[in-house]
């Protein structure tokens, strides 16, 4: 999540983040990232009624099962062909293709730089290319001490 945040912040036109990844980790730890402390945001929506939380890693590793569970949560009994259709329409590849339309939209020209890559890799484990041991510990401490629910991260594919 923080690697994606880092790249996203660097592509904002008006509020471009000019720091390095270590700076972002420090801001994250202090609760000073844009839009406020990450944990406050996450904790707030987990308390809402009718909230279904999906971990990106589950979506990649157990796509069919995750989509079926979401459908059941929404009161839908999705057939295998409907699930397959949803998986195809919402695949990383498909979203990356539609990103071109978003980037060329004049509505977003004042917000994002034209070289924004919103859908970068879509892989599990790329964080290891950015985090050192100290950074990882800082983020783990925030997750453990600030979130009001338990998260079981999947660190590798």
């Amino acid at each position: 999540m923080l690697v994606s945040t880092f790249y996203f912040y660097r592509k904002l036109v008006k509020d471009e983040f000019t720091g390095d990844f270590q700076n972002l980790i420090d801001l994250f730890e202090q609760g000073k990232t844009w839009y406020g402390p990450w944990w406050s945001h996450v904790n707030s929506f987990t308390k809402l009624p009718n909230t279904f939380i999906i971990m990106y890693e589950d979506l990649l590793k157990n796509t069919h099962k995750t989509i079926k569970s979401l459908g059941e949560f929404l009161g839908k009994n999705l057939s295998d062909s409907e699930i397959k259709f949803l998986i195809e329409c919402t695949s990383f590849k498909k979203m990356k293709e539609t990103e071109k339309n978003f980037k060329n939209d004049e509505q977003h020209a004042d917000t994002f730089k034209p070289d924004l890559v919103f859908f970068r890799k879509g892989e599990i484990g790329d964080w290891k290319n950015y985090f050192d041991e100290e950074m990882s510990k800082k983020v783990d401490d925030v997750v453990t001490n600030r979130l009001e629910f338990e998260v079981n991260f999947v660190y590798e594919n």
Side-chain angles (χ1 to χ4, degrees):
M1 175 268 312
L2 280 172
V3 174
S4 296
T5 300
F6 177 71
Y7 280 99
F8 178 74
Y9 282 1
R10 293 181 68 87
K11 297 303 176 181
L12 293 173
V13 171
K14 295 178 182 171
D15 298 316
E16 177 187 14
F17 180 71
T18 57
D20 61 18
F21 194 68
Q22 178 65 58
N23 298 134
L24 180 62
I25 296 292
D26 293 340
L27 291 170
F28 175 80
E29 181 184 35
Q30 297 163 22
K32 295 182 178 177
T33 51
W34 293 320
Y35 315 114
W38 171 81
W39 57 85
S40 294
H41 165 73
V42 174
N43 286 334
S44 71
F45 69 72
T46 60
K47 294 175 185 176
L48 296 172
N50 300 318
T51 301
F52 187 81
I53 297 175
I54 298 175
M55 300 295 285
Y56 184 70
E57 294 80 1
D58 291 337
L59 197 54
L60 288 183
K61 288 184 166 223
N62 303 306
T63 310
H64 190 277
K65 179 181 173 187
T66 304
I67 298 295
K68 185 170 184 61
S69 294
L70 176 60
E72 290 168 355
F73 175 80
L74 295 171
K76 303 291 182 186
N77 185 16
L78 299 172
S79 68
D80 284 343
S81 63
E82 289 172 318
I83 293 171
K84 183 179 178 190
F85 176 76
L86 287 170
I87 290 170
E88 288 170 8
C89 290
T90 59
S91 70
F92 184 83
K93 179 182 176 185
K94 189 67 136 180
M95 290 191 298
K96 192 158 180 71
E97 288 171 7
T98 60
E99 177 181 44
K100 295 170 193 161
N101 298 332
F102 172 80
K103 287 166 55 169
N104 295 328
D105 182 352
E106 287 183 28
Q107 177 183 353
H108 297 100
D110 292 340
T111 306
F112 301 112
K113 294 180 182 179
D115 62 342
L116 168 71
V117 177
F118 194 76
F119 298 101
R120 238 176 23 87
K121 289 188 176 182
E123 299 173 353
I124 299 171
D126 189 45
W127 67 274
K128 293 181 287 185
N129 296 316
Y130 298 85
F131 281 75
D132 62 24
E133 196 171 319
E134 180 185 338
M135 292 174 186
S136 182
K137 182 174 179 354
K138 285 182 178 185
V139 172
D140 286 345
D141 287 347
V142 166
V143 169
T144 301
N145 297 319
R146 301 288 187 136
L147 286 184
E148 296 170 358
F149 64 98
E150 186 177 334
V151 177
N152 296 310
F153 286 115
V154 175
Y155 293 102
E156 298 192 38
N157 195 5

